[in-house]
Amino acid sequence: MRLPEDYNDHSGLTPTVVSAIVAVTLFVGAILAVVLLMNSQSPAGKRQAQAKETGVFIEEETLEQSAEGSSYPDTEDILTGSTLSPDDFDFWDMYPEETEEAKEPSQEETPETVENDPATDGKHTLIEYDDGKEEWVLISPYLPKHEYDFTRLVYQSNLMKYYEDGKLVSFVGADISKYQDYVDFGKLKKAGVDFVMLRVGARGYGSGQLVLDEYFAENIKRASDAGLEIGVYFFSQAISNEEAVEEANMVLENIKDYEITYPVAFDMEYIENDASRIDSLSKSEKTEITKTFLDTIQNAGYKAMLYGDKEWLLKDIDLSKLTAYDVWLSQESDIPDYPYRFTMWQYTKKASIDGIAGYADLNISFIDYSEK
């Protein structure tokens, strides 16, 4: 800073004070000289490392000039000539903030989630209820599975057939009750039907009374005369083991005079849009009643069979206690998705076939029971 021309020094400094100032100035000058000498001998890389440790970074051009022996830049050059800003001296920004996303990857993207999808894991099967609800049910590894290759199913002349190595190995069946009214069994046989499953009778779902199907006696006689293989079934509403035995004995009494070559099936199911006697039964109780009926039939020398749809078989009874018996599956579809072993399949209840007026229930048997 330049002093004004009219400035008059009235400080009154004595020679002693002046001498002290000179001495201090020389001492400070000596220290600065030593510092400059040491810095001029220090490698540029050492200064750069020291600068990084302190967090003060000097521009590369300034360091190169110092390394070549030029004077060390003063503080003003460092601060005003640098492109650094105050934000560059914030140490805490060096460490990225850990977010929740980094801590916990989305479950939707984990391999475990994809593997555990019941629709694709191969360990579940889907049940679709009448009210539109769906449920994935775990497939038991302990129950025997079917081994059918459904690419070998062929739909010919409104009839489902199964081939192996080009050879037909299945048999066509129709299940008949009073609801089909009069049936021409001769025409039925000519239409390609091999066997019939005739309803013997039923127990009233409200009254509990045993009732013989009013067409049974005539149906079994005319079906036998037409040369069809014959099996039978009973619609049960038993609520105790004693009633199950009573139902089985009724069946045995009414088939004893005929040749029964196909199974005797037990059919227990709920009544649509109405209450029934079996509504309050537990899964265990239904299983015991089913087994009691089938045991009674089997002990009498007939082939006993369990009938049911996918929901009934998987949810309403315990299949692990009924593995000794064949299954007659009811599932209206082009291909069944029931996972366990079954030997007969009711694939439609709305077929049209010569010999039956109105809708017919058609089946395919993967076993020729007439030769067993």
Side-chain angles (χ1 to χ4, degrees):
M1 181 175 65
R2 183 178 177 182
L3 297 176
E5 294 180 357
D6 60 351
Y7 176 78
N8 188 14
D9 186 4
H10 300 287
S11 60
L13 296 178
T14 63
T16 304
V17 173
V18 173
S19 299
I21 292 173
V22 171
V24 170
T25 301
L26 292 175
F27 178 73
V28 172
I31 293 175
L32 288 175
V34 173
V35 171
L36 288 175
L37 179 62
M38 291 176 63
N39 281 329
S40 65
Q41 293 176 352
S42 175
K46 181 177 179 180
R47 287 197 306 272
Q48 188 174 1
Q50 290 172 341
K52 288 182 180 180
E53 288 178 358
T54 60
V56 178
F57 296 90
I58 303 172
E59 289 187 2
E60 183 177 3
E61 182 178 354
T62 304
L63 292 175
E64 290 176 354
Q65 291 174 352
S66 177
E68 292 172 358
S70 60
S71 62
Y72 191 80
D74 59 23
T75 304
E76 182 179 358
D77 290 338
I78 295 174
L79 296 179
T80 60
S82 174
T83 60
L84 298 176
S85 67
D87 291 339
D88 294 321
F89 294 88
D90 189 349
F91 293 92
W92 308 113
D93 287 342
M94 297 173 61
Y95 303 97
E97 205 176 305
E98 193 172 9
T99 63
E100 291 298 322
E101 292 182 0
K103 293 179 183 177
E104 299 180 6
S106 173
Q107 287 295 323
E108 295 179 358
E109 300 178 357
T110 60
E112 292 81 7
T113 303
V114 175
E115 185 178 346
N116 292 333
D117 183 355
T120 58
D121 65 4
K123 299 177 182 179
H124 294 79
T125 186
L126 180 65
I127 293 179
E128 300 176 275
Y129 296 99
D130 293 336
D131 60 4
K133 294 181 180 179
E134 297 182 345
E135 179 183 1
W136 287 98
V137 177
L138 185 66
I139 299 173
S140 170
Y142 306 107
L143 292 174
K145 313 299 186 297
H146 75 74
E147 297 180 348
Y148 303 125
D149 178 0
F150 292 125
T151 63
R152 299 173 181 175
L153 281 173
V154 178
Y155 200 63
Q156 296 178 328
S157 303
N158 297 325
L159 302 176
M160 191 76 74
K161 299 181 179 181
Y162 187 78
Y163 288 82
E164 286 184 354
D165 299 325
K167 180 182 177 182
L168 179 64
V169 293
S170 64
F171 305 88
V172 176
D175 53 282
I176 310 291
S177 72
K178 69 175 185 177
Y179 300 108
Q180 276 71 47
D181 202 4
Y182 178 84
V183 176
D184 189 327
F185 290 96
K187 288 184 177 181
L188 203 60
K189 184 174 176 63
K190 288 180 181 179
V193 172
D194 302 304
F195 69 94
V196 290
M197 297 293 291
L198 306 176
R199 190 179 79 151
V200 176
R203 185 185 290 275
Y205 67 85
S207 65
Q209 182 179 354
L210 292 179
V211 180
L212 184 69
D213 189 295
E214 57 191 80
Y215 279 78
F216 175 71
E218 185 180 351
N219 283 342
I220 194 169
K221 183 180 184 303
R222 292 192 296 106
S224 297
D225 293 343
L228 290 164
E229 304 296 338
I230 296 174
V232 299
Y233 71 97
F234 186 89
F235 180 78
S236 173
Q237 287 287 292
I239 57 174
S240 67
N241 290 344
E242 290 74 20
E243 287 190 353
V245 172
E246 184 182 19
E247 293 175 352
N249 286 336
M250 179 183 176
V251 171
L252 294 172
E253 179 64 25
N254 284 276
I255 65 175
K256 64 181 182 181
D257 296 329
Y258 299 93
E259 185 179 4
I260 306 299
T261 54
Y262 267 63
V264 176
F266 177 80
D267 172 16
M268 177 184 278
E269 52 188 291
Y270 294 115
I271 304 300
E272 292 185 13
N273 304 318
D274 204 351
S276 66
R277 303 177 85 234
I278 67 169
D279 288 350
S280 61
L281 294 177
S282 67
K283 182 175 183 177
S284 176
E285 289 170 332
K286 289 194 288 279
T287 302
E288 283 301 312
I289 290 170
T290 301
K291 188 175 187 304
T292 298
F293 180 99
L294 296 174
D295 286 347
T296 304
I297 295 298
Q298 196 99 313
N299 292 337
Y302 294 92
K303 181 64 178 177
M305 171 178 274
L306 169 61
Y307 171 90
D309 61 17
K310 186 178 180 181
E311 178 184 344
W312 183 270
L313 296 171
L314 297 184
K315 297 292 291 185
D316 289 282
I317 56 174
D318 185 354
L319 286 173
S320 67
K321 297 182 179 179
L322 300 168
T323 55
Y325 301 103
D326 288 351
V327 170
W328 176 10
L329 173 67
S330 173
Q331 186 175 22
E332 294 186 78
S333 62
D334 294 332
I335 296 176
D337 62 356
Y338 178 73
Y340 304 120
R341 184 172 59 86
F342 62 97
T343 56
M344 281 174 56
W345 170 33
Q346 183 187 63
Y347 60 88
T348 180
K349 296 181 180 180
K350 297 181 179 180
S352 178
I353 192 168
D354 196 20
I356 296 178
Y359 289 135
D361 299 350
L362 295 184
N363 305 268
I364 179 174
S365 177
F366 298 91
I367 293 177
D368 183 4
Y369 283 100
S370 65
E371 293 188 0
K372 294 188 73 175

